Amino acid sequence: MNALAPLIVALLGGIGLAVQPSTNAALGRSIGSVLLAALVSFAVGTVILTGVWLMADRTPLANLRDARPWMFLGGAYGAFFVAAAAFAAPRLGLASMLTIMIAAQVVAAVVIDRFGLIGLPRTPISAVRLAGVGLVLVGAMLIRRG
């Protein structure tokens, strides 16, 4: 695999995360429900992922038996993110909403890394990492004020 592939996928995912809340908020305004918009978003995503899985992967569904129950919570986090973003974007503005969410993600990620939670390797909190967290938090505040 090309060494740039993960970076390109991450960049495209980031662009998608910037566009998704506005799209879902517009759908929510159009149909009169942020929750229904989030549900539709997940349904469309489910259909697309099912198609990709059927064409490219086909890992047996029986493998799901090996997963622990807490491992299925990712969908709940995703559903909350989609609904929260669709709700917050038109009220805070997209840039403010995203920087607040990104700041929360970075803080949570540093804690998860520090303790090696969710099966990830432990990564110490260094002065450089703390400075990075601080800059993200300052950036979120500046975007919010601007």
Side-chain angles (χ1 to χ4, degrees):
M1 176 186 287
N2 182 330
L4 289 177
L7 178 60
I8 292 167
V9 169
L11 288 171
L12 292 174
I15 291 167
L17 282 177
V19 175
Q20 183 188 34
S22 300
T23 304
N24 290 341
L27 179 60
R29 282 191 305 275
S30 173
I31 62 177
S33 171
V34 169
L35 293 178
L36 181 57
L39 177 64
V40 168
S41 177
F42 265 80
V44 169
T46 298
V47 168
I48 291 169
L49 283 174
T50 301
V52 172
W53 171 72
L54 287 171
M55 290 187 301
D57 183 31
R58 304 213 58 169
T59 300
L61 290 174
N63 287 9
L64 291 170
R65 288 185 296 220
D66 297 332
R68 295 185 193 130
W70 65 267
M71 294 176 178
F72 293 96
L73 292 175
Y77 308 141
F80 181 77
F81 171 82
V82 168
F87 173 79
R91 290 162 177 82
L92 297 174
L94 184 60
S96 289
M97 184 271 312
L98 279 175
T99 55
I100 291 166
M101 285 185 159
I102 290 167
Q105 288 173 354
V106 171
V107 170
V110 168
V111 171
I112 290 167
D113 280 350
R114 163 63 180 89
F115 295 103
L117 303 175
I118 319 171
L120 296 174
R122 290 179 185 227
T123 305
I125 296 178
S126 65
V128 173
R129 282 185 142 219
L130 285 177
V133 168
L135 288 172
V136 169
L137 293 172
V138 167
M141 288 187 301
L142 291 173
I143 293 287
R144 183 72 183 128
R145 286 187 179 183

